């Protein structure tokens, strides 16, 4: 029976406490505040907001570099000699992390590492990683190849979307035009951004304030995507009103959820969604 260690990026928004509980290792993605680049997970979302307010510039996100993976692979093998590593990656079309892991493995001739592109981000990726950790605890007899096949199936069943409260961060990041951001602000339009085949794609537009939009989104998305009621992940960025959070959770339970898990956005997804953003993720039945 071989020891399998699960590895993911901090962009999965898995907290250190949850990672420790399930034996998950996290490799840091990065956020640049001007000339200063910091590891994701070492600062709060509020610092991103403050930097933007002071400078008018949005911090830039970047994936893990090969050196990050060389370091984490060595640390894992030191802690668990002879283990196999199952790396469940942040969507490969959105960042360089998956490619960086491959470079590190090839250049350092590291054996026993299997890399899977989850084609998910934030809580969507986190849901895959945590569910995989739970299944490995129930099936210690699995080898890494069997575990990898299971991880692919889990990843394919995850559905996730989010809505920003404001288009300002999307505008500042060049993802929407100035005109679109202005129109969205005037008309109170909020694009619903879904993770489809690894890409962040705007699908529908929601109109109104977040207090109205969020409960409707929870109900509609759970029904439309036929999400399993066993666990629903609700994603929030600091700035989302507490009353809106309560309404979202209540709606999830009224829609059949047996368990609701809140996920606070980390540095990477906060730079995309901005303050007060909300999202939902779960497993398709």
């Amino acid at each position: 029976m071989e020891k399998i260690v699960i590895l993911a990026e901090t962009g999965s928004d898995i907290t250190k406490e949850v990672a420790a509980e399930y034996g998950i290792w996290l490799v840091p993605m990065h956020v640049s505040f001007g000339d200063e680049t910091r590891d994701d997970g070492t600062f709060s979302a509020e610092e991103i907001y403050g930097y933007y307010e002071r400078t008018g510039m949005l911090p830039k996100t970047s994936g893990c570099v090969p050196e990050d993976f060389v370091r984490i692979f060595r640390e894992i093998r030191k802690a668990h000699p002879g283990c196999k590593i199952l790396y469940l990656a942040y969507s490969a079309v959105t960042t360089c992390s998956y490619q960086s892991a491959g470079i590190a493995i090839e250049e350092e001739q590291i054996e026993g590492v299997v890399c899977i592109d989850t084609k998910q981000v934030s809580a969507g990726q986190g849901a895959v990683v945590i569910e995989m950790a739970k299944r490995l605890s129930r099936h210690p007899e699995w080898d890494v190849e069997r575990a990898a096949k299971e991880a692919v199936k889990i990843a394919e069943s995850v559905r996730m979307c989010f809505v920003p409260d404001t288009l300002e961060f999307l505008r500042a990041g060049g993802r929407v035009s100035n005109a679109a951001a202005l129109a969205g602000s005037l008309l109170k339009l909020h694009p619903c951004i879904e993770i489809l085949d690894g890409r962040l794609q705007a699908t529908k537009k929601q109109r109104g304030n977040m207090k109205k939009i969020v409960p409707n989104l929870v109900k509609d998305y759970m029904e439309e995507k036929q999400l399993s009621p066993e666990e629903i992940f609700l994603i929030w960025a600091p700035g989302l009103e507490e009353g809106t959070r309560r309404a979202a959770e209540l709606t999830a339970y009224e829609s059949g959820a047996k368990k609701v898990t809140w996920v606070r956005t980390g540095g990477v997804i906060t730079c995309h969604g901005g303050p007060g953003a909300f999202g939902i993720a779960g497993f398709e039945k």
Side-chain angles (χ1 to χ4, degrees):
M1 184 164 43
E2 61 187 24
K3 171 71 175 178
I4 301 174
V5 174
I6 296 177
L7 173 65
E9 296 93 337
T10 54
S12 62
D13 290 338
I14 296 172
T15 65
K16 292 179 181 179
E17 293 76 17
V18 171
E21 178 182 355
Y22 291 104
I24 297 163
W25 287 65
L26 300 174
V27 58
M29 298 176 80
H30 308 285
V31 178
S32 296
F33 296 79
D35 294 332
E36 180 189 12
T37 298
R38 302 165 67 182
D39 287 350
D40 179 35
T42 62
F43 55 88
S44 67
E46 287 84 353
E47 290 187 57
I48 294 174
Y49 305 159
Y51 180 82
Y52 180 72
E53 289 174 1
R54 291 193 308 273
T55 67
M57 295 185 295
L58 188 64
K60 295 182 179 180
T61 63
S62 58
C64 313
V65 296
E67 290 77 11
D68 292 321
F69 283 101
V70 171
R71 174 186 56 78
I72 202 76
F73 289 153
R74 288 174 177 170
E75 290 179 1
I76 292 173
R77 287 281 166 70
K78 183 178 180 180
H80 304 285
C83 73
K84 297 297 175 66
I85 299 172
L86 180 60
Y87 165 45
L88 302 178
Y90 197 96
S91 174
V93 297
T94 66
T95 184
C96 66
S97 295
Y98 186 83
Q99 181 181 12
S100 292
I103 293 172
I105 291 168
E106 182 177 357
E107 291 186 350
E108 298 295 320
Q109 297 183 343
I110 300 171
E111 297 182 350
V113 181
V114 176
C115 304
I116 301 294
D117 177 8
T118 67
K119 298 184 180 181
Q120 284 292 334
V121 305
S122 184
Q125 180 194 10
V128 176
V129 174
I130 294 170
E131 179 61 24
M132 191 64 232
K134 291 177 180 178
R135 295 194 189 186
L136 277 178
S137 70
R138 297 196 297 266
H139 296 281
E141 75 280 4
W142 285 357
D143 60 20
V144 72
E145 287 76 18
R146 174 70 176 83
K149 290 179 181 178
E150 193 72 15
V152 171
K153 293 179 182 178
I154 295 170
E156 289 175 344
S157 73
V158 172
R159 302 291 178 264
M160 174 184 160
C161 73
F162 71 93
V163 290
D165 182 26
T166 170
L167 297 181
E168 184 62 21
F169 271 40
L170 291 174
R171 182 204 61 78
R175 297 177 182 87
V176 300
S177 67
N178 290 338
L182 178 60
S185 177
L186 292 174
L187 299 174
K188 295 185 178 181
L189 294 176
H190 307 260
C192 179
I193 300 172
E194 291 191 67
I195 316 304
L196 300 174
D197 198 28
R199 302 179 187 277
L200 281 66
Q201 299 184 30
T203 51
K204 302 176 182 178
K205 287 187 174 67
Q206 307 284 335
R207 186 168 185 174
N209 57 42
M210 293 294 279
K211 191 173 183 179
K212 172 187 173 183
I213 289 171
V214 166
N216 291 337
L217 177 66
V218 171
K219 180 180 182 295
D220 294 345
Y221 201 73
M222 287 180 64
E223 181 178 342
E224 178 185 341
K225 301 301 180 181
Q226 288 293 290
L227 298 185
S228 167
E230 295 302 317
E231 185 169 17
I232 298 296
F233 299 86
L234 300 182
I235 309 151
W236 69 287
L240 184 68
E241 293 184 358
E242 183 63 30
T244 304
R245 289 185 60 189
R246 288 196 298 268
E249 183 169 332
L250 178 61
T251 302
Y253 281 122
E254 289 177 341
S255 299
K258 297 179 181 178
K259 179 181 179 181
V260 171
T261 298
W262 281 98
V263 180
R264 176 180 166 129
T265 61
V268 174
I269 202 68
T270 296
C271 285
H272 297 290
F278 172 83
I280 177 172
F283 299 99
E284 193 173 48
K285 293 178 184 177

